[in-house]
Amino acid sequence: MYWDIKKADTYSLYSPLKRDENDFISALNSIDLSVNNIIDASKIAFTESVKLALSNCSAAHLEAQKSFVVVTGNKLCLSDLEELFIVVPTISEAIDYIYMEELEKNL
């Protein structure tokens, strides 16, 4: 298994067990689209192929009407990535983002 998965009531947190780019990209296909997801990509290099894979995964979540948040761990990357998908610097902020979206959906 590629992911360390922590499940909560309103989201699942996926943390990669390896740093390999190709494994990361292929493992994104195994993510459950029926729930809100947080991807901890703080140890992954944001190459063009990683950005494309995350963008495609984000689009699939959007189509399924579920939240998809990527954690970068690096505030400097945010401006480059925020046009492609939802990105935050910490897991705590990702959890807050999911809760805020859930509140908005329930209004």
Side-chain angles (χ1 to χ4, degrees):
M1 177 184 287
Y2 181 79
W3 299 109
D4 175 26
I5 305 169
K6 293 185 172 95
K7 296 186 183 234
D9 291 340
T10 57
Y11 66 89
S12 292
L13 170 62
Y14 287 80
S15 300
L17 297 172
K18 303 175 197 165
R19 294 180 186 218
D20 183 72
E21 175 183 330
N22 293 329
D23 288 346
F24 179 78
I25 291 169
S26 60
L28 285 172
N29 295 325
S30 69
I31 290 176
D32 182 5
L33 296 176
S34 68
V35 296
N36 299 316
N37 289 307
I38 299 169
I39 305 297
D40 180 4
S42 58
K43 295 180 176 126
I44 302 295
F46 285 95
T47 63
E48 290 305 314
S49 52
V50 167
K51 290 178 191 177
L52 178 62
L54 287 168
S55 183
N56 290 341
C57 196
S58 176
H61 278 78
L62 187 61
E63 190 173 304
Q65 297 180 343
K66 295 296 176 182
S67 299
F68 179 77
V69 183
V70 177
V71 177
T72 64
N74 182 349
K75 291 184 179 184
L76 300 175
C77 294
L78 294 178
S79 62
D80 292 340
L81 301 173
E82 62 191 5
E83 295 175 12
L84 303 172
F85 41 81
I86 304 301
V87 61
V88 295
T90 67
I91 291 172
S92 175
E93 288 177 79
I95 293 167
D96 290 346
Y97 186 92
I98 297 274
Y99 281 121
M100 294 294 272
E101 279 203 337
E102 284 298 305
L103 284 172
E104 287 177 12
K105 288 177 187 175
N106 292 330
L107 291 179

